Amino acid sequence: MENFTFYAPTYFVFGKDTETEAGTYVKRFGGTKVLLHYGGGSVIRTGLLQRVRDSLAAAGIDSVELGGVRPNPRSGLVYEGIALCKEEGIDFILAVGGGSVIDSAKAIAAGGAYDGDFWDFYTGKVVEKALPVGTVLTISAAGSEGSPDSVITKEEGMFKRGATGEALRPWFSILNPALTQTLPAYQTACGVTDILAHLYERYLTNTKDVEVTDRMIEALMLAMIQAGPKAVRDSTDYESRANIMWAGMMAHNNSCGVGRTQDWTSHDIEHELSALYDCAHGAGLAVTMPAVFTYNMQHDVMRFAQIAVRVWGCEMNFAHPEETAKAGIEALRSFLISIGMPKNLLELGGAEADIEKMAHSACCGNGRDGSIGGFVKLTQKDVENIYRLMV
Amino acid sequence: MENFTFYAPTYFVFGKDTETEAGTYVKRFGGTKVLLHYGGGSVIRTGLLQRVRDSLAAAGIDSVELGGVRPNPRSGLVYEGIALCKEEGIDFILAVGGGSVIDSAKAIAAGGAYDGDFWDFYTGKVVEKALPVGTVLTISAAGSEGSPDSVITKEEGMFKRGATGEALRPWFSILNPALTQTLPAYQTACGVTDILAHLYERYLTNTKDVEVTDRMIEALMLAMIQAGPKAVRDSTDYESRANIMWAGMMAHNNSCGVGRTQDWTSHDIEHELSALYDCAHGAGLAVTMPAVFTYNMQHDVMRFAQIAVRVWGCEMNFAHPEETAKAGIEALRSFLISIGMPKNLLELGGAEADIEKMAHSACCGNGRDGSIGGFVKLTQKDVENIYRLMV
């Protein structure tokens, strides 16, 4: 195991009706003037936004609102939010929504405490200072409610890139599984896929002797494989929603990723898809993961065989472990299709003609050095080949 | 899943040579005058205490020392520590040792910020304020390095009791697996047993639909079953030590125990053994757990069958699930014996003649109401029967 530090000081408030405590927690963590940040549609329609407003008012918290965050959140609204924070003297940002809203809030938080261009943090600069962020989560997927990460798309060039820094961990996150019961099956499935991807990206490591984190990752995957299809079939199933919500947070707060190299190839390759086609990140990952894993399998057949046996219930083929490894990838593919995810680039709304451009952007765009990959180092040519496996 | 809050803001610094950063972290978390708290023997002999002293000095931190913590730490030294903190104006407590030293440090921290008798916290009062505590861990076992708990034995009456409160979570914990390489095999095995007990006590729940935490608990158990015997056989095996150290923290920071009722019967019953016979807590648990589980098995046969199949690799007997449940308890017993743990009260240094007294103390001593148990409610008579199963 490699040396590491781990610090995850987010205060989680989990369960039914907990969104009514938002104001109490903002106050507890020192907020006096809040930027209330959200998307649109559903948080208004379901009355959630109003409940949060009421809770802030009851706690005597002053607030300014900025709605309109869209999936695959854009830099334009972030710049607007940063300006608003500076003008209004905002001292706390409350995100009400899913990963897109939270990531947008984190970007505003970083920019609000910085004199330069916030995009610096999305080209490699670590976030060391940010306004405090709290969240009321409405989609189990991104894990942003407990992570130090944020992903934003810059409109000039359509680069979808990530920033990180301990200052980006939310100070508190309110997780009410009931808030996710209004999600359509497709979005639920996208969330399940994103959570599985966060687990795979940590599982695919070159570090030896990491049994404890291997087992934790497998555990969270098994829980998702059990609860995911139930929530997709019956959106009102509170218990499945609750299991998914805690698994989604644990999958990405990095307690199961410490002390080991990680991968993030599937994310990097997918980001080009959602930047270009504006598809859901989870749907993009569903198409990307089997292709990446098939391409990389020979790098460590036994690791793919291990996950096949332990997570997907495949029989170990001791004479031909690569058959087991392949069976595990096929089991993942079948699972994703069974919950309604697309199976190829076409179903995602993509086109073969864009492959070269996407491979170039993934490997060379926005200052990248020509290759990606933590598990296997991949050149632009490799990435092109992977996109071709998705056709 | 039940509603819950979860807040675990300890900063973990994990890996080789990390103890040399102790001073840096005390300073980072605002300490200026430290109570350096430790046991004796090994931390001095191995040079660890001196390295920590040097690190404090290098960071310009003033310190006062209080050594002499013993296993099953006592109230006497806690009172001494509290007085010292108040006289010397201590603003940070640094524990260098295992669970006993950390628990003693936490008791001093609670008492140092309180005007009454610190024992109030060990009879039910929640700790809401305490001096900040940091730790340099030398034994993987108690999980106190990441938990809000402390267990102390009061000399008058020999009551061994626990306190809890978020204020008791260490501000930072330095986890260097190499520091545990000097432990004798017996103490290593005691630690492994304690960690397994923390997992079992959470596993035995009456809450339904808790697949995600079930799976996480099983994962940590599987990792312990793999790494434990390796560390017992070869004390220098760094990688096994590292896996055990992270598992030991995760087993008790409660991320795998949230949203579900827990048990803690084995701990309550064991505390009487280590209070009376001064045996190692882990050794006491090795004798206690199989007896408690055998006694409680009929309460939820399928839960015991589930752990038997998923963790202990037992074949499911679909016609007679209780056979599988029993096989799982026997597998635990065999595992504990295989790593050198005692198998009955006699081997532990106990005597049948003390059973009534211990059952009375467990159920009625120090203000208890006549019964214990979160999974099955047990009367004094039940507890007597359980002790008799250990003979």
Side-chain angles (χ1 to χ4, degrees):
Chain A
M1 212 181 293
E2 298 175 3
N3 283 14
F4 65 84
T5 61
F6 178 76
Y7 183 49
T10 304
Y11 194 108
F12 294 101
V13 187
F14 190 103
K16 291 172 181 160
D17 301 323
T18 45
E19 67 273 18
T20 59
E21 298 174 53
T24 308
Y25 283 96
V26 168
K27 196 170 179 177
R28 177 166 171 171
F29 288 104
T32 61
K33 186 159 185 187
V34 164
L35 179 71
L36 186 56
H37 198 42
Y38 53 92
S42 69
V43 293
I44 299 166
R45 221 168 35 241
T46 60
L48 170 62
L49 189 65
Q50 194 53 49
R51 292 201 296 285
V52 173
R53 283 182 188 131
D54 293 346
S55 159
L56 289 172
I61 308 284
D62 195 11
S63 68
V64 175
E65 298 196 4
L66 181 65
V69 182
R70 34 159 301 157
N72 302 315
R74 302 286 175 90
S75 54
L77 196 69
V78 172
Y79 285 115
E80 206 178 311
I82 292 168
L84 202 56
C85 284
K86 291 182 176 176
E87 280 158 26
E88 298 276 351
I90 296 295
D91 59 15
F92 201 99
I93 302 178
L94 182 60
V96 181
S100 296
V101 174
I102 300 173
D103 282 7
S104 182
K106 287 177 174 180
I108 294 170
Y114 182 60
D115 288 331
D117 182 351
F118 91 96
W119 193 252
D120 293 348
F121 300 119
Y122 293 76
T123 52
K125 189 178 171 73
V126 172
V127 181
E128 287 180 352
K129 213 175 138 203
L131 293 172
V133 172
T135 85
V136 178
L137 185 65
T138 60
I139 307 177
S140 302
S144 192
E145 66 278 13
S147 85
D149 309 307
S150 159
V151 176
I152 296 290
T153 301
K154 189 171 177 69
E155 275 125 334
E156 303 81 55
M158 292 308 278
F159 293 117
K160 186 171 181 182
R161 293 293 185 266
T164 194
E166 292 303 337
L168 292 184
R169 295 241 191 211
W171 288 44
F172 71 82
S173 280
I174 289 178
L175 312 186
N176 176 358
L179 299 180
T180 70
Q181 287 175 320
T182 57
L183 278 179
Y186 183 77
Q187 276 192 48
T188 301
C190 286
V192 168
T193 308
D194 194 12
I195 295 169
L196 282 174
H198 293 159
L199 294 164
Y200 264 101
E201 303 273 33
R202 289 180 166 89
Y203 202 80
L204 297 174
T205 185
N206 294 315
T207 312
K208 300 299 171 201
D209 293 314
V210 287
E211 185 73 1
V212 64
T213 40
D214 271 3
R215 290 286 188 186
M216 286 168 62
I217 294 170
E218 291 159 7
L220 294 166
M221 285 184 171
L222 287 163
M224 293 305 299
I225 294 168
Q226 196 232 33
K230 288 165 72 177
V232 168
R233 269 198 307 275
D234 173 8
S235 77
T236 65
D237 180 345
Y238 179 85
E239 295 300 339
S240 296
R241 296 280 181 189
N243 276 279
I244 293 171
M245 203 166 226
W246 193 242
M249 191 290 289
M250 289 299 300
H252 204 45
N253 83 342
N254 210 34
S255 53
C256 64
V258 290
R260 51 196 289 156
T261 64
Q262 303 182 2
D263 193 11
W264 303 98
T265 299
S266 293
H267 272 71
D268 283 342
I269 290 180
E270 190 292 318
H271 283 167
E272 301 304 323
L273 299 171
S274 46
L276 194 60
Y277 307 124
D278 208 15
C279 58
H281 176 52
L285 286 166
V287 175
T288 306
M289 281 192 288
V292 171
F293 304 161
T294 300
Y295 198 82
N296 282 345
M297 195 192 83
Q298 286 301 334
H299 176 69
D300 189 348
V301 166
M302 290 309 264
R303 179 143 285 272
F304 282 99
Q306 179 177 298
I307 201 168
V309 171
R310 291 185 179 174
V311 173
W312 295 106
C314 301
E315 191 85 28
M316 180 64 190
N317 184 332
F318 293 93
H320 302 288
E322 68 279 9
E323 293 303 318
T324 308
K326 271 187 218 165
I329 298 169
E330 285 316 304
L332 165 68
R333 193 195 306 266
S334 301
F335 173 82
L336 295 172
I337 292 170
S338 78
I339 60 172
M341 288 289 93
K343 63 176 180 295
N344 57 40
L345 197 61
L346 195 70
E347 284 188 18
L348 205 63
E352 205 172 342
D354 297 322
I355 286 179
E356 272 186 53
K357 182 172 65 179
M358 291 192 292
H360 178 78
S361 174
C363 295
C364 306
N366 201 40
R368 289 220 176 119
D369 69 356
S371 69
I372 58 169
F375 184 56
V376 181
K377 189 169 175 169
L378 299 169
T379 63
Q380 187 178 328
K381 198 75 213 162
D382 292 316
V383 173
E384 271 182 38
N385 290 337
I386 288 170
Y387 280 121
R388 289 196 201 289
L389 290 177
M390 302 181 202
V391 174
Chain B
M1 211 181 294
E2 299 175 2
N3 283 14
F4 65 85
T5 60
F6 178 75
Y7 183 49
T10 304
Y11 195 109
F12 294 101
V13 187
F14 190 103
K16 291 172 184 163
D17 302 321
T18 46
E19 67 274 18
T20 59
E21 298 174 53
T24 308
Y25 282 96
V26 169
K27 196 169 178 178
R28 177 166 170 170
F29 288 104
T32 61
K33 187 162 185 187
V34 164
L35 179 71
L36 185 57
H37 198 43
Y38 53 91
S42 69
V43 292
I44 299 166
R45 221 168 34 240
T46 60
L48 171 61
L49 189 64
Q50 194 53 49
R51 291 201 296 284
V52 172
R53 282 182 188 135
D54 293 346
S55 158
L56 290 172
I61 308 284
D62 195 10
S63 68
V64 175
E65 298 196 4
L66 181 64
V69 183
R70 32 159 303 157
N72 302 314
R74 303 287 174 88
S75 54
L77 195 70
V78 172
Y79 286 115
E80 204 178 313
I82 293 168
L84 201 56
C85 283
K86 291 182 176 176
E87 282 159 26
E88 298 276 350
I90 295 295
D91 60 14
F92 201 99
I93 302 179
L94 182 61
V96 181
S100 297
V101 173
I102 300 173
D103 282 7
S104 182
K106 287 176 173 180
I108 295 170
Y114 182 61
D115 286 334
D117 183 351
F118 91 96
W119 194 251
D120 294 348
F121 300 118
Y122 293 77
T123 53
K125 189 179 171 74
V126 172
V127 181
E128 287 179 354
K129 213 178 138 200
L131 294 172
V133 172
T135 86
V136 178
L137 184 65
T138 60
I139 307 176
S140 302
S144 192
E145 67 276 12
S147 86
D149 309 307
S150 159
V151 176
I152 296 290
T153 301
K154 190 172 175 70
E155 275 125 334
E156 303 81 56
M158 292 309 278
F159 293 117
K160 186 172 182 181
R161 293 293 185 265
T164 193
E166 292 302 338
L168 292 184
R169 294 240 192 211
W171 289 44
F172 70 82
S173 281
I174 289 178
L175 312 185
N176 176 358
L179 299 180
T180 71
Q181 287 174 321
T182 56
L183 278 178
Y186 183 77
Q187 276 192 47
T188 301
C190 286
V192 167
T193 308
D194 195 13
I195 295 168
L196 282 175
H198 293 159
L199 295 164
Y200 264 101
E201 302 274 32
R202 290 180 165 88
Y203 202 80
L204 297 175
T205 185
N206 294 315
T207 312
K208 301 296 171 203
D209 293 315
V210 286
E211 185 74 0
V212 64
T213 39
D214 272 3
R215 289 287 188 185
M216 284 168 63
I217 294 170
E218 292 158 6
L220 294 167
M221 284 185 172
L222 287 164
M224 292 305 298
I225 293 168
Q226 197 232 33
K230 287 166 72 177
V232 168
R233 268 198 309 275
D234 173 8
S235 76
T236 64
D237 179 346
Y238 179 87
E239 295 300 339
S240 296
R241 297 281 181 188
N243 276 280
I244 294 171
M245 203 165 225
W246 193 241
M249 191 290 288
M250 289 298 300
H252 205 46
N253 84 342
N254 209 35
S255 52
C256 65
V258 291
R260 51 196 288 155
T261 65
Q262 303 183 3
D263 193 12
W264 302 97
T265 300
S266 294
H267 272 71
D268 283 343
I269 290 181
E270 190 293 319
H271 283 167
E272 301 304 323
L273 299 172
S274 45
L276 195 60
Y277 307 125
D278 209 15
C279 58
H281 176 53
L285 286 166
V287 174
T288 305
M289 282 193 287
V292 171
F293 303 160
T294 300
Y295 197 81
N296 283 346
M297 194 191 84
Q298 286 301 335
H299 177 69
D300 190 348
V301 167
M302 291 309 265
R303 180 143 285 272
F304 282 100
Q306 179 177 296
I307 201 169
V309 171
R310 291 185 178 174
V311 173
W312 295 108
C314 301
E315 192 85 26
M316 179 64 189
N317 184 331
F318 293 93
H320 302 287
E322 68 279 9
E323 294 302 319
T324 307
K326 269 186 220 165
I329 298 170
E330 285 316 305
L332 166 66
R333 193 195 306 270
S334 301
F335 174 82
L336 295 172
I337 292 171
S338 79
I339 59 171
M341 288 289 92
K343 62 175 179 297
N344 57 38
L345 197 61
L346 195 72
E347 284 189 18
L348 204 62
E352 206 172 342
D354 297 321
I355 286 179
E356 274 186 52
K357 182 171 67 179
M358 290 192 293
H360 178 78
S361 174
C363 294
C364 307
N366 200 39
R368 289 221 175 119
D369 70 357
S371 71
I372 57 170
F375 184 56
V376 181
K377 189 171 174 167
L378 299 169
T379 63
Q380 187 177 329
K381 199 74 216 164
D382 292 317
V383 173
E384 271 181 38
N385 290 337
I386 288 170
Y387 280 121
R388 288 195 203 289
L389 290 177
M390 302 181 202
V391 174

